[in-house]
Amino acid sequence: MNKYIVHTGEKKHLVISHVSDETAQWQIVQEADSVLTVHLFCLEKDADASHDVVLDIEQAGEHAETYIYGLGILSGKQHISVHTRVRHSVPNGKSNQLLKFAVKDEAKGAFLGELIVAPHAQHTEAQQTNRNILLSPAATMQTQPQLEIYADDVKCSHGASTGQIDESALFYMQQRGIAPDVARQLLLAAFFHDVLTTLGEPAVEERLQRRIAEALSAPSANSAL
Amino acid sequence: MLEIRNLHASIAGKEILKGINLHIGAGETHAIMGPNGAGKSTLSAVLTGNPAYTVTEGEVIFRGKDLLSMSPEVRAREGLFLSFQYPVEIPGVSMTNFMRAAVNAKREHQGLPALSAGEFLKLMRAKRALVELDNKLAGRSVNEGFSGGEKKRNEIFQMAMLEPCLSILDETDSGLDIDALRIVAEGVNKLHTAENATIVITHYQRLLDYIVPDFVHILADGQIVRTGGKELALELEQTGYAGIV
Ligand SMILES: Nc1ncnc2c1ncn2[C@@H]1O[C@H](COP(=O)(O)OP(=O)(O)OP(=O)(O)O)[C@@H](O)[C@H]1O
Ligand SMILES: [Mg+2]
């Protein structure tokens, strides 16, 4: 368990780019006027990786901002579950979560997004978005947004969806001579694009693009990719 | 160039193409006309290898090779191009990355080296000029938020980039305003050579005023029921399909 406090007025950027423990848990408390940005990348190469990522964040001071951006490519027989809990305990807080996963082979993914707005946490603005693409028939993704909103003067929204690669786009690209695996890579890069741009650093973005491309081609040779 | 023999194809168990025979030689322009639902787009889909359709009978020889045994991307690299009746929007994939992947896939197939960044941009600029495609459109995601006419113009831009041997233009005229129609048609004519061929699917004579066909075929209920010269399209304009189909 990793515990942090983001102190009053502080800006903190947490990048979780390798989840190596069986369980990876963070418990973070934000004081007033603090800004926390978390980037979570699940791009493990180990085909049997099994991880439980928990991000538990509480806004204990007013005017705090929390941003969670995550992406993952799950492959082989991986089991990856990501659990975010964002607690708005005081008024005037902001949070935004954007998490995207592509699941291939026989991998199993799960996202549980808890968003808790306490009764007196008025003027909270909270958003949560989870989008997933399944790349093989045996891949699964469970998504469970869980909003508990006890204050009435708030702006909260959430969206969750799980779909497949757009077959008509794939065919369109093939008709232009592009091989299906290259077409899928372009489509997935597009899918992850809005998460990547939140990094704000082209060099890091590029490095991740390469890791994404690697993760897409690994580990099983007989997968859909 | 293309030889279609007794082609039958179905979708969802329903037979749509019921024995198509068609010969297209190098340098020729063929128009295919016919009522809604006749199977014109199905024919383009089957020729380009759309997996939604099943070929149940017949064969297609394209430049001496068995077309139906090739994957869709190999058919494209061999020089088959379809200007889609409904071009697909691909949010997040830039026109530049898309075209670079397409052009270089074809070059690799031909044993040519990939274009350098500079050469590629120069090619984009030259071909954009040919169909007067706005630079802003070329800078966006593939077809995303393009108007109907802009999408059609973008199809012909892609055709110009890829310099196919056989182009199928499926209702490229629909959605184009009068000026755009002329510009796009002129673009198609400029791309025409004695070595390539074009199939124009259209409902209207207007396009054929610009792109003058050597042959006009009428496709009805999955079969070519009549073939003639360019005057057949004019006749249709007068009589409709009632007298023919
Ligand atoms: N998934 C499907 N299941 C059953 N029938 C289908 C399916 N897709 C297309 N069809 C049918 O196939 C027939 C041929 O359609 P196609 O699009 O080839 O016609 P078309 O000649 O291009 O018509 P238009 O002039 O309207 O573009 C139509 O009757 C259509 O309803
Ligand atoms: Mg059609």
Side-chain angles (χ1 to χ4, degrees):
Chain A
M1 171 85 78
N2 305 282
K3 286 194 179 189
Y4 291 105
I5 294 175
V6 189
H7 295 287
T8 304
E10 242 182 14
K11 278 196 167 81
K12 190 163 174 74
H13 188 189
L14 172 65
V15 181
I16 306 169
S17 72
H18 286 284
V19 189
S20 45
D21 302 316
E22 282 280 307
T23 50
Q25 298 201 11
W26 281 263
Q27 200 178 65
I28 302 170
V29 175
Q30 287 186 253
E31 294 180 349
D33 300 303
S34 65
V35 180
L36 170 69
T37 305
V38 180
H39 278 101
L40 169 68
F41 303 111
C42 302
L43 298 165
E44 302 310 307
K45 284 180 182 158
D46 174 7
D48 292 314
S50 174
H51 299 304
D52 246 319
V53 183
V54 181
L55 276 171
D56 184 342
I57 296 159
E58 180 178 15
Q59 292 190 353
E62 289 195 31
H63 298 286
E65 296 175 21
T66 309
Y67 302 99
I68 303 175
Y69 303 112
L71 65 83
I73 296 170
L74 281 48
S75 57
K77 292 185 189 299
Q78 291 178 349
H79 279 226
I80 308 278
S81 104
V82 174
H83 178 180
T84 64
R85 183 188 296 129
V86 175
R87 283 181 288 165
H88 289 272
S89 302
V90 296
N92 298 311
K94 253 194 201 173
S95 68
N96 186 15
Q97 303 180 51
L98 176 64
L99 294 109
K100 292 190 164 184
F101 298 92
V103 189
K104 49 184 269 199
D105 306 330
E106 295 160 52
K108 290 186 183 352
F111 171 71
L112 169 61
E114 273 185 275
L115 183 62
I116 303 159
V117 181
H120 56 280
Q122 302 295 3
H123 310 297
T124 293
E125 282 181 32
Q127 265 178 293
Q128 183 195 87
T129 310
N130 171 228
R131 304 259 176 256
N132 311 299
I133 289 190
L134 300 178
L135 296 170
S136 85
T140 63
M141 181 77 203
Q142 228 179 45
T143 172
Q144 193 182 343
Q146 196 169 307
L147 279 66
E148 294 175 36
I149 296 165
Y150 301 107
D152 51 17
D153 189 11
V154 298
K155 273 192 210 149
C156 295
S157 65
H158 76 100
S161 66
T162 299
Q164 267 116 32
I165 285 270
D166 179 353
E167 290 296 324
S168 59
L170 193 63
F171 179 69
Y172 188 75
M173 295 168 96
Q174 277 179 276
Q175 208 304 300
R176 300 306 186 238
I178 302 172
D181 57 343
V182 175
R184 281 196 191 89
Q185 289 216 6
L186 285 169
L187 291 170
L188 284 167
F191 173 67
F192 288 128
H193 183 73
D194 53 355
V195 177
L196 287 175
T197 52
T198 63
L199 280 161
E201 284 177 60
V204 183
E205 216 180 288
E206 213 169 282
R207 190 145 22 97
L208 265 159
Q209 292 275 25
R210 271 202 301 279
R211 273 184 71 193
I212 290 171
E214 275 170 34
L216 284 172
S217 49
S220 61
N222 60 352
S223 76
L225 283 160
Chain B
M1 173 76 62
L2 185 79
E3 182 78 46
I4 303 176
R5 294 191 199 114
N6 190 31
L7 184 64
H8 291 250
S10 61
I11 183 162
K14 187 180 161 204
E15 183 167 68
I16 309 290
L17 300 185
K18 304 173 179 172
I20 302 272
N21 293 290
L22 189 61
H23 172 90
I24 293 175
E28 294 175 358
T29 297
H30 291 241
I32 297 182
M33 305 180 80
N36 295 128
K40 303 180 298 296
S41 295
T42 301
L43 179 60
S44 349
V46 168
L47 291 177
T48 50
N50 189 321
Y53 298 82
T54 314
V55 173
T56 51
E57 218 183 311
E59 63 175 347
V60 181
I61 307 299
F62 178 50
R63 302 173 68 216
K65 293 179 189 165
D66 175 13
L67 183 75
L68 300 179
S69 67
M70 297 178 204
S71 65
E73 63 275 15
V74 171
R75 298 182 196 198
R77 293 172 198 160
E78 285 279 318
L80 182 61
F81 179 88
L82 171 62
S83 167
F84 285 68
Q85 182 172 4
Y86 304 108
V88 181
E89 297 196 12
I90 316 179
V93 175
S94 70
M95 272 304 294
T96 312
N97 284 346
F98 172 65
M99 272 338 297
R100 187 182 293 122
V103 167
N104 285 333
K106 177 161 186 178
R107 289 180 65 89
E108 192 184 339
H109 186 74
Q110 295 171 326
L112 297 168
L115 290 181
S116 72
E119 288 168 328
F120 175 74
L121 289 176
K122 216 170 124 191
L123 183 69
M124 286 274 280
R125 216 175 303 128
K127 302 301 183 177
R128 231 176 44 228
L130 190 82
V131 289
E132 298 178 25
L133 183 79
D134 197 318
N135 193 14
K136 279 193 227 78
L137 295 183
R140 297 217 313 242
S141 292
V142 179
N143 292 324
E144 191 188 22
F146 286 29
S147 75
E150 287 168 348
K151 283 179 184 165
K152 294 304 175 79
R153 195 185 287 236
N154 191 25
E155 294 293 283
I156 303 306
F157 163 69
Q158 294 173 44
M159 171 182 163
M161 286 292 289
L162 293 166
E163 298 184 335
C165 304
L166 177 63
S167 302
I168 306 170
L169 312 184
D170 193 352
E171 294 197 28
T172 299
D173 48 343
S174 75
L176 289 175
D177 68 46
I178 294 164
D179 294 330
L181 178 68
R182 181 180 41 78
I183 293 161
V184 164
E186 280 169 3
V188 171
N189 287 337
K190 278 182 209 150
L191 294 169
H192 191 75
T193 68
E195 278 79 50
N196 61 24
T198 313
I199 299 175
V200 186
I201 296 171
T202 183
H203 287 293
Y204 303 106
Q205 174 59 36
R206 186 188 284 279
L207 178 67
L208 304 180
D209 287 339
Y210 293 108
I211 304 173
V212 181
D214 303 300
F215 300 92
V216 174
H217 309 277
I218 297 172
L219 184 66
D221 193 23
Q223 287 183 319
I224 290 176
V225 294
R226 223 178 121 180
T227 293
K230 61 178 189 285
E231 60 298 333
L232 179 56
L234 290 166
E235 183 189 330
L236 264 184
E237 196 94 325
Q238 299 299 315
T239 62
Y241 291 111
I244 291 168
V245 178

